[in-house]
Amino acid sequence: MLETINPATGEATTTDLTVTDDATLDALASAATEAAPKLVSLGRAWRADLLDSLAAALEEQRAILVDTAAEETGLTEARLNGELSRSVFQLRLFAEAVREGGYLEAMIDHAGDTPLGPGPDLRRMLVPLGPVAVFGSSNFPFAFSVPGGDTASALAAGNPVIVKAHSAHLLTSQRAFAALQSGAERVEAPRGTLGIVYGQAAGAQLVAHPAVQAVGFTGSQVAAKRLQQIINEREVPIPLYGELQSVNPVIITTGALDERGEELATGLAGSVTGSGGQLCTKPGIVFVPTGAVGDAFSTRLSEIVAMQDPHVLLGARVHENFERVRDELIAAPGVVQLAAGASTDNGYASAASVLSVDIGTFSAEHTEEAFGPLVLLVRYEREAQLAEALHSVLGSLTATIHCGAGEPESLESLTALVAPRAGRILYAGFPTGVRVSWAQHHGGPWPATNSLHTSVGVTAMRRFLRPMVWQDAPESVLPAELRETDRSVPRRVDGVLELAG
Amino acid sequence: MLETINPATGEATTTDLTVTDDATLDALASAATEAAPKLVSLGRAWRADLLDSLAAALEEQRAILVDTAAEETGLTEARLNGELSRSVFQLRLFAEAVREGGYLEAMIDHAGDTPLGPGPDLRRMLVPLGPVAVFGSSNFPFAFSVPGGDTASALAAGNPVIVKAHSAHLLTSQRAFAALQSGAERVEAPRGTLGIVYGQAAGAQLVAHPAVQAVGFTGSQVAAKRLQQIINEREVPIPLYGELQSVNPVIITTGALDERGEELATGLAGSVTGSGGQLCTKPGIVFVPTGAVGDAFSTRLSEIVAMQDPHVLLGARVHENFERVRDELIAAPGVVQLAAGASTDNGYASAASVLSVDIGTFSAEHTEEAFGPLVLLVRYEREAQLAEALHSVLGSLTATIHCGAGEPESLESLTALVAPRAGRILYAGFPTGVRVSWAQHHGGPWPATNSLHTSVGVTAMRRFLRPMVWQDAPESVLPAELRETDRSVPRRVDGVLELAG
């Protein structure tokens, strides 16, 4: 029997769950393979209803899901309620996108003479890949786990999904899955539309299984590497979409501190320590100018953090890794610990920390992601020093710029500086709190992600789709969206984009 | 000095080219890195002009390019003229797409209240990756080589390109590159926009070079594996877009043969042996019904092929591989050689072949791609036998269905059968002759390609782009296409697609 641990106390509870055995996994994979063409046949309107039904089913189980997750993760009920709302909203947003149909990228080139001779009739759109494996994260038991964005986007794209329950929240996974299953049954989803496996060995076998056509993953680079090695040994390789790690650099200018130093200190403290700092978009490295306003900011931030209670981290592994990286950073050349919050020996709790280093000493050694409540301030004298310093910072999900109103030139030069190193650039904001919407991009240069895709927002669906073309096809074999008179989705016809009619 | 070989005679000529040394490669990579932001600044209109200028420059050098390629590849002048026209057309089509701007996938979500609280302003579009390495193919010295689709789509997306000249057509590569360079100079392209390297070692170093952000490749699975291993050892991994191999199954029913058996025999012979059968979309495996019309078709096809002159293949390696695979197929269980064209001992020429096997004996052993003028007929009795047989056939770029007018049910069931195994399904046609257009998809399940993207057609650009989001950005730092009042490109605003104004 698998155990689940309450990170606030460190107490283990035995669950009724066991590692999924080979036969069960095979059966799940077969069912998913059989479900795949059925999901295609059921069409977009039905699939949108499925997503709405899953959302409704999660809402109905809100109380038990939040309670279970609170015990297993140490996250607050407020945070978990917000996260569940986000998962529900996300499913409904994908339902909307599926109904709208622009994600199909439908295109028609009619037969006709071209400068290269007669051209055939070509009709293109994106089609689902087939069964997708989803590996949830430790830090988002809902929004990046069983009922999360990878599951929602893979299903929205028309694929069956098999999730691997994260060991840090097994019961939450089990109960969230049960809610999804009941939502799927209400709309009579084909058997095999959803599946779940438990245990690391089952996760590895899932990735190796020939039925699986793609993998969505949120977690560490080490774990991603392990999954990639399994994929490399498959007869048929498949894409692994990994969201891995990110230090999310923030640059604050003197002008910004002059205007709103107090607001920035409070805001940054919240962004660094909210959810125990266990957010992929937590600002880990903040460039702060030297001089009086920079000192005042640094002092104020330290005061706020020093007053904080210990943060219960998600589990033994997160706790151990965080304290190891924290201690390495404290021991790194030139680093000063400015502030530490309260600590405790109970469970897997850690104190929040503010560290500081001079930009002259700053190097790659100072850039490891501390996944927890910690920020490293890098004190700079001149903007010209930032270019070299940023070379040490690996690709991130986000980069944030805080300028004053009178610094349009810095705004431009700092944008150019961070653009190659991030997937999202924020102005006068904080990177935590990722909006779920059409235009969102949650991805970035390696090692933020290992792909050119997002894991949040509507375009996350593209990861689980491939193009298909029908050439000179009789109408009877074409998908509805590609038939001549259909106007249900936006299409590009002979190179000209047309809105749905 | 590197040698080039005339495959019609086997004679080697010494060129003035040498393997690119490390210092030269480093300089090219640095220049490309410096060119990258300049290309972004120059904007879409300028970039479209660049592509048009490259097209014009290729046209001007048509005579020498075709002559050179004819000597180095053994392909006919007619074919090479067609291929050069295609390369020119392709550059112009990408220019059109760059001007239109839909490829940017521009999206704006305005700030506002959402069910999850206040949402920031998000503006998303695709941005170039940076320097791209392009490995041309042996079989398309223009359209899939130096001035080919990978180069055109990577440049169109806004990236500098460094090509690795294919050893089978070094002088063609050198001269095509010179033409491109002159076209680039005419529009004052930044130094480093285009580069070229020679020699296998330089190709490997190019893929390993930290400046390179993506690789486009057309060639064998073995070579792709070598490049992937180099990528796996990089500090920062990059995408490899490989178009690898394809047997392009064709299914012909009795109904189709009843209606147009002669036309099918002639058409198939042309598709199998055109360009010496050295096309990635050559139909390699054709399912033909048993019985009188099937026999008549098989006999007629054999007659046509038996009358053919020897086909000069592209070079020693292609020739050796083709004859090895051909001999293995002839020796495989149940295979009968129905016809062989004329053969010769001159240069790297091979005879065309028609082989046949009963579907009961057909297995994975019969499915290796013979890259040259060869087709294997698989004789089937009942449509029900096809499902199992197709399980032995790996993913292909295309699958083709020939039904009679009175077989709507077969049309539907055969479509369902081939859909998971191909990127393009053709009806009553032949897969060779790939239309370059907006809706084209030239890609397919592994090993046809190793990605979910096309290498032909406008959407090939997506391979060399990544999403970027600006959050709450002042207008001054936004790209033109994302400014509030801009209407130059299609955009999705608050979830609603809007045409350019």
Side-chain angles (χ1 to χ4, degrees):
Chain A
M1 294 297 170
L2 293 163
E3 285 188 341
T4 185
I5 293 170
N6 182 329
T9 60
E11 277 168 27
T13 312
T14 301
T15 70
D16 60 346
L17 297 165
T18 52
V19 174
T20 304
D21 61 32
D22 292 7
T24 308
L25 192 140
D26 267 343
L28 285 171
S30 297
T33 300
E34 282 167 34
K38 294 178 190 164
L39 288 176
V40 172
S41 305
L42 285 162
R44 284 186 300 119
W46 177 85
R47 212 157 68 238
D49 291 345
L50 165 69
L51 296 166
D52 281 339
S53 182
L54 301 182
L58 285 176
E59 271 297 6
E60 286 165 26
Q61 301 297 318
R62 178 181 286 271
I64 186 161
L65 289 174
V66 167
D67 281 356
T68 309
E71 279 198 18
E72 286 190 302
T73 65
L75 295 168
T76 66
E77 289 205 4
R79 149 67 205 266
L80 289 167
N81 265 303
E83 191 188 326
L84 190 63
S85 296
R86 178 176 160 154
S87 306
V88 166
F89 176 80
Q90 188 159 256
L91 284 160
R92 292 185 174 138
L93 179 65
F94 279 115
E96 195 186 315
V98 169
R99 287 195 183 94
E100 198 263 353
Y103 81 93
L104 293 169
E105 297 183 7
M107 294 191 190
I108 296 174
D109 288 331
H110 286 105
D113 285 329
T114 79
L116 305 177
D121 181 277
L122 297 179
R123 291 170 191 250
R124 168 193 189 268
M125 68 178 216
L126 302 183
V127 299
L129 295 182
V132 171
V134 169
F135 285 71
S137 69
S138 62
N139 60 334
F140 277 91
F142 303 127
F144 286 82
S145 289
V146 173
D150 282 349
T151 299
S153 56
L155 279 173
N159 305 288
V161 170
I162 302 175
V163 291
K164 189 263 172 188
H166 198 288
S167 58
H169 42 75
L170 288 170
L171 293 176
T172 309
S173 298
Q174 182 189 31
R175 287 166 190 171
F177 183 77
L180 293 181
Q181 272 293 36
S182 75
E185 279 160 18
R186 263 180 245 170
V187 293
E188 295 174 18
R191 205 179 69 87
T193 300
L194 289 164
I196 189 166
V197 300
Y198 298 92
Q200 197 175 332
Q205 275 162 0
L206 185 61
V207 173
H209 203 286
V212 170
Q213 302 298 317
V215 180
F217 172 81
T218 310
S220 73
Q221 225 190 107
V222 174
K225 204 166 190 176
R226 222 160 30 219
L227 296 185
Q228 188 60 57
Q229 273 160 356
I230 297 171
I231 289 174
N232 294 346
E233 282 159 26
R234 284 175 60 110
E235 198 173 331
V236 174
I238 54 175
L240 168 70
Y241 299 106
E243 194 211 306
L244 308 178
Q245 66 178 60
S246 185
V247 295
N248 305 298
V250 176
I251 302 173
I252 304 180
T253 66
T254 302
L257 290 177
D258 280 338
E259 285 175 18
R260 50 182 197 283
E262 170 67 22
E263 183 190 326
L264 282 173
T266 319
L268 186 64
S271 192
V272 166
T273 63
S275 299
Q278 304 160 111
L279 298 175
C280 44
T281 53
K282 184 205 76 172
I285 294 176
V286 180
F287 294 91
V288 176
T290 51
V293 286
D295 291 346
F297 169 80
S298 156
T299 303
R300 183 68 188 112
L301 176 70
S302 300
E303 282 169 10
I304 300 170
V305 168
M307 292 188 317
Q308 291 191 347
D309 289 335
H311 293 272
V312 176
L313 300 189
L314 294 157
R317 207 182 318 158
V318 168
H319 179 256
E320 185 189 314
N321 279 335
F322 171 69
E323 300 214 333
R324 178 183 55 77
V325 176
R326 180 197 62 192
D327 294 347
E328 282 169 13
L329 287 173
I330 290 172
V335 171
V336 178
Q337 180 161 28
L338 298 181
S343 60
T344 171
D345 287 336
N346 289 348
Y348 303 119
S350 288
S353 284
V354 180
L355 312 184
S356 182
V357 68
D358 186 82
I359 197 163
T361 317
F362 180 74
S363 72
E365 228 181 312
H366 300 93
T367 63
E368 198 178 347
E369 181 188 18
F371 193 72
L374 179 148
V375 66
L376 174 65
L377 307 182
V378 183
R379 305 295 300 271
Y380 71 99
E381 275 177 67
R382 299 175 314 281
E383 200 186 299
Q385 297 174 299
L386 295 173
E388 202 198 319
L390 278 167
H391 273 294
S392 304
V393 179
L394 295 174
S396 283
L397 294 165
T398 70
T400 302
I401 297 170
H402 286 275
C403 283
E407 300 174 315
E409 280 162 28
S410 293
L411 205 57
E412 199 171 321
S413 57
L414 294 177
T415 298
L417 207 55
V418 301
R421 295 177 175 78
R424 179 164 54 112
I425 309 179
L426 294 91
Y427 298 85
F430 297 99
T432 46
V434 179
R435 180 177 181 183
V436 177
S437 67
W438 289 80
Q440 186 57 278
H441 177 55
H442 189 67
W446 172 268
T449 46
N450 70 342
S451 78
L452 306 178
H453 292 280
T454 183
S455 61
V456 178
V458 169
T459 56
M461 289 167 73
R462 179 61 180 87
R463 299 176 296 167
F464 305 116
L465 293 160
R466 68 181 176 102
M468 172 81 96
V469 161
W470 289 257
Q471 178 170 324
D472 292 330
E475 285 259 313
S476 63
V477 299
L478 284 173
E481 295 88 347
L482 292 180
R483 294 184 184 175
E484 191 61 22
T485 57
D486 189 273
R487 297 293 307 274
S488 66
V489 301
R491 304 197 294 196
R492 191 175 281 277
V493 179
D494 298 325
V496 179
L497 188 60
E498 295 180 358
L499 301 178
Chain B
M1 294 297 171
L2 293 163
E3 285 187 342
T4 185
I5 294 171
N6 182 328
T9 60
E11 277 169 28
T13 312
T14 300
T15 70
D16 59 347
L17 297 166
T18 53
V19 173
T20 304
D21 61 32
D22 291 7
T24 308
L25 192 140
D26 266 344
L28 284 171
S30 297
T33 300
E34 281 167 36
K38 293 178 190 165
L39 287 175
V40 172
S41 304
L42 285 162
R44 284 186 299 120
W46 177 86
R47 214 157 66 238
D49 291 346
L50 165 68
L51 296 166
D52 281 338
S53 182
L54 301 181
L58 285 176
E59 271 295 7
E60 286 166 25
Q61 301 297 319
R62 179 181 284 272
I64 186 163
L65 290 174
V66 168
D67 281 356
T68 309
E71 278 197 18
E72 286 190 303
T73 65
L75 295 168
T76 65
E77 289 205 3
R79 149 68 204 267
L80 289 166
N81 265 303
E83 191 188 325
L84 190 63
S85 295
R86 177 177 161 155
S87 307
V88 167
F89 175 80
Q90 189 160 256
L91 284 161
R92 292 186 175 138
L93 179 65
F94 280 115
E96 194 187 316
V98 170
R99 287 195 183 94
E100 198 262 353
Y103 80 93
L104 293 170
E105 297 182 8
M107 295 190 190
I108 296 174
D109 289 330
H110 287 105
D113 285 331
T114 79
L116 304 177
D121 181 276
L122 297 178
R123 291 168 192 250
R124 168 193 189 267
M125 67 177 218
L126 303 183
V127 299
L129 295 182
V132 171
V134 169
F135 285 70
S137 69
S138 62
N139 60 335
F140 276 91
F142 301 129
F144 286 84
S145 289
V146 174
D150 283 349
T151 300
S153 56
L155 280 173
N159 304 287
V161 170
I162 302 176
V163 291
K164 189 264 174 185
H166 198 287
S167 58
H169 43 75
L170 289 170
L171 293 176
T172 308
S173 298
Q174 182 189 29
R175 287 167 190 170
F177 183 76
L180 294 181
Q181 272 293 36
S182 74
E185 280 162 17
R186 261 180 247 170
V187 293
E188 296 175 18
R191 207 179 69 86
T193 300
L194 289 164
I196 189 167
V197 301
Y198 298 93
Q200 197 175 333
Q205 274 161 1
L206 184 62
V207 173
H209 202 288
V212 170
Q213 302 299 317
V215 180
F217 171 82
T218 309
S220 72
Q221 224 189 108
V222 174
K225 205 167 190 175
R226 221 159 34 218
L227 295 186
Q228 188 60 56
Q229 272 160 358
I230 297 171
I231 289 174
N232 293 346
E233 282 160 25
R234 284 175 59 111
E235 198 172 330
V236 174
I238 54 174
L240 168 70
Y241 299 107
E243 192 210 308
L244 308 178
Q245 66 178 58
S246 186
V247 295
N248 305 298
V250 176
I251 302 172
I252 304 180
T253 66
T254 301
L257 291 177
D258 280 339
E259 285 175 16
R260 50 182 198 281
E262 169 67 21
E263 182 190 326
L264 283 173
T266 319
L268 185 65
S271 192
V272 166
T273 64
S275 299
Q278 303 160 112
L279 298 175
C280 43
T281 52
K282 183 206 76 172
I285 293 176
V286 180
F287 293 92
V288 176
T290 50
V293 286
D295 290 347
F297 168 81
S298 155
T299 302
R300 183 68 188 111
L301 176 70
S302 300
E303 283 169 11
I304 301 169
V305 169
M307 292 187 318
Q308 290 190 347
D309 289 335
H311 293 270
V312 176
L313 300 189
L314 293 157
R317 207 183 315 159
V318 168
H319 179 257
E320 186 190 314
N321 280 336
F322 171 68
E323 300 213 333
R324 178 183 55 77
V325 176
R326 180 196 62 193
D327 294 347
E328 283 170 12
L329 287 173
I330 290 172
V335 172
V336 178
Q337 181 161 29
L338 298 181
S343 60
T344 170
D345 287 337
N346 289 348
Y348 303 119
S350 289
S353 284
V354 180
L355 312 183
S356 182
V357 69
D358 186 83
I359 197 162
T361 316
F362 180 75
S363 72
E365 227 180 313
H366 300 92
T367 64
E368 198 177 346
E369 182 188 18
F371 192 72
L374 179 149
V375 66
L376 173 66
L377 307 183
V378 182
R379 305 297 300 271
Y380 71 97
E381 276 178 67
R382 300 177 312 282
E383 201 186 297
Q385 296 173 299
L386 295 173
E388 201 197 319
L390 277 167
H391 272 295
S392 304
V393 179
L394 295 173
S396 284
L397 294 165
T398 70
T400 302
I401 296 170
H402 286 276
C403 284
E407 300 174 316
E409 281 162 30
S410 292
L411 205 57
E412 199 170 322
S413 58
L414 294 177
T415 297
L417 207 56
V418 301
R421 295 176 175 78
R424 179 164 55 111
I425 309 178
L426 294 91
Y427 298 85
F430 297 101
T432 46
V434 178
R435 181 177 181 182
V436 177
S437 67
W438 289 80
Q440 187 57 278
H441 177 55
H442 189 67
W446 173 266
T449 46
N450 70 342
S451 78
L452 306 178
H453 291 281
T454 183
S455 60
V456 177
V458 168
T459 57
M461 289 166 72
R462 179 62 178 89
R463 299 176 296 166
F464 306 115
L465 294 161
R466 68 182 177 101
M468 172 81 96
V469 161
W470 288 258
Q471 177 170 324
D472 292 329
E475 286 259 314
S476 63
V477 299
L478 283 173
E481 295 89 346
L482 292 179
R483 293 184 185 175
E484 191 63 22
T485 57
D486 189 273
R487 298 294 306 276
S488 66
V489 301
R491 304 196 294 197
R492 190 175 283 278
V493 179
D494 298 325
V496 180
L497 188 60
E498 295 180 357
L499 301 178

